[in-house]
């Protein structure tokens, strides 16, 4: 059982780390989150294998054979040492993972010195993005434009039902709930176009609620913003 378990765990962990689960890492937060995922794979595969090996062995070794239909199994008693082990070990593993996950959350949610705010509003079936302007009307767009290397705080709202603002390449997602403004922050690390998805079933057009996040270089973003401000003024 130990040999089977060790081999199956090694194969499972290798497979779990080898599979390319996620799209491109396009934010500083993505790296932390993907590492957390890998640690969870390493911690959970052996637990799954342990349970399966014990169940599989019990099914093969202790199954009812012909002629044993009327027999009862041997009487069993508790085993204090086993019970202490299978209670304490999972408790230690879970506390360890909780502390680590909490640290990851602290790291990815740390407020930097300079931050840009984008107000994201969900409505059946589109996203609208607003860039607050000091002393003026906000710039509103239907496509998301953000500068590379700049921390951005999304303030997430909804005007009708519950939506969920998700850019898989940035990893983090959050429900857009009517009456509540949620928020999370990301720092884009690479320029390019990334899908925006609504991740909460919000009605008939839910699957079409897709737009694009354009990560631009600082200079290109500034030029885009100037053009938008001129457009808003006219
Ligand atoms: Cu939606």
């Amino acid at each position: 059982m130990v040999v089977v378990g060790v081999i199956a765990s090694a194969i499972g962990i290798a497979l779990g780390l080898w599979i390319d689960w996620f799209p491109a890492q396009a934010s500083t937060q993505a790296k932390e989150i993907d590492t957390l995922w890998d640690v969870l794979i390493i911690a959970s595969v052996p637990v799954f294998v342990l349970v399966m090996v014990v169940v599989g062995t019990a099914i093969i070794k202790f199954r009812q054979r012909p002629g044993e239909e009327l027999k009862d199994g041997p009487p069993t008693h508790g085993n204090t040492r086993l019970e202490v082990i299978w209670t304490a070990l999972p408790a230690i593993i879970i506390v360890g993972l909780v502390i680590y996950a909490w640290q990851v959350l602290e790291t990815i949610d740390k407020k930097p010195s300079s931050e840009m705010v984008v107000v994201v509003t969900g409505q059946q079936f589109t996203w609208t993005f607003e860039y607050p302007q000091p002393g003026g009307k906000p710039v509103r767009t239907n496509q998301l434009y953000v500068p590379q290397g700049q921390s951005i705080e999304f303030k997430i709202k909804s005007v009708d039902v519950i939506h969920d603002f998700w850019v898989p390449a940035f990893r983090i997602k959050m429900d857009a709930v009517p009456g509540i403004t949620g928020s999370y922050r990301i720092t884009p690390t690479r320029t390019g176009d990334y899908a925006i998805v609504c991740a909460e079933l919000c009605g008939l057009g839910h699957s079409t609620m897709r737009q694009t996040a354009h990560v631009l270089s600082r200079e290109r973003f500034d030029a885009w913003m100037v053009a938008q401000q001129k457009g808003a003024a006219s």
Side-chain angles (χ1 to χ4, degrees):
M1 283 171 76
V2 170
V3 171
V4 170
V6 168
I7 292 172
S9 294
I11 293 172
I13 289 171
L15 217 61
L17 297 180
W18 173 72
I19 293 172
D20 200 7
W21 298 97
F22 303 120
Q25 288 181 345
S27 74
T28 50
Q29 284 76 3
K31 206 162 173 283
E32 300 279 340
I33 290 167
D34 292 3
T35 307
L36 171 66
W37 171 267
D38 286 346
V39 171
L40 290 179
I41 293 258
I42 293 166
S44 53
V45 165
V47 176
F48 176 76
V49 167
L50 174 73
V51 172
M52 287 303 132
V53 168
V54 170
V55 169
T57 307
I59 288 170
I60 294 164
K61 224 176 156 208
F62 302 108
R63 71 175 183 274
Q64 176 185 275
R65 321 228 169 234
E68 292 181 345
E69 288 84 355
L70 296 176
K71 273 191 179 171
D72 203 357
T76 53
H77 304 276
N79 185 323
T80 309
R81 194 199 288 171
L82 259 182
E83 285 170 24
V84 167
I85 292 172
W86 77 47
T87 305
L89 214 60
I92 292 167
I93 293 172
I94 287 176
V95 168
L97 289 176
V98 164
I99 291 171
Y100 170 48
W102 177 72
Q103 281 176 339
V104 170
L105 188 60
E106 286 283 298
T107 309
I108 64 177
D109 204 33
K110 201 186 274 166
K111 193 179 166 66
S113 50
S114 102
E115 192 158 62
M116 190 181 122
V117 171
V118 178
V119 181
V120 179
T121 305
Q123 106 183 68
Q124 290 171 317
F125 296 97
T126 189
W127 298 105
T128 310
F129 306 98
E130 274 180 21
Y131 301 77
Q133 305 295 316
K137 265 170 66 178
V139 166
R140 304 184 86 203
T141 62
N142 290 318
Q143 301 291 329
L144 176 64
Y145 289 85
V146 288
Q148 180 191 18
Q150 163 74 59
S151 180
I152 293 141
E153 186 184 18
F154 295 116
K155 292 202 178 294
I156 300 154
K157 302 176 176 182
S158 167
V159 296
D160 42 37
V161 300
I162 300 176
H163 302 275
D164 192 300
F165 178 63
W166 187 30
V167 180
F170 295 159
R171 296 294 185 276
I172 306 177
K173 61 172 149 175
M174 183 174 274
D175 274 7
V177 183
I180 300 175
T181 302
S183 87
Y184 66 76
R185 57 173 51 96
I186 58 100
T187 305
T189 48
R190 39 189 282 178
T191 56
D193 297 340
Y194 306 99
I196 300 170
V197 184
C198 178
E200 180 65 64
L201 186 57
C202 60
L204 269 182
H206 165 67
S207 63
T208 64
M209 199 165 161
R210 286 167 171 263
Q211 275 140 271
T212 307
H214 306 271
V215 179
L216 308 179
S217 65
R218 185 81 238 184
E219 304 77 58
R220 285 193 61 205
F221 176 81
D222 290 342
W224 173 83
M225 182 53 85
V226 168
Q228 295 298 311
Q229 287 161 338
K230 278 187 191 144
S234 66

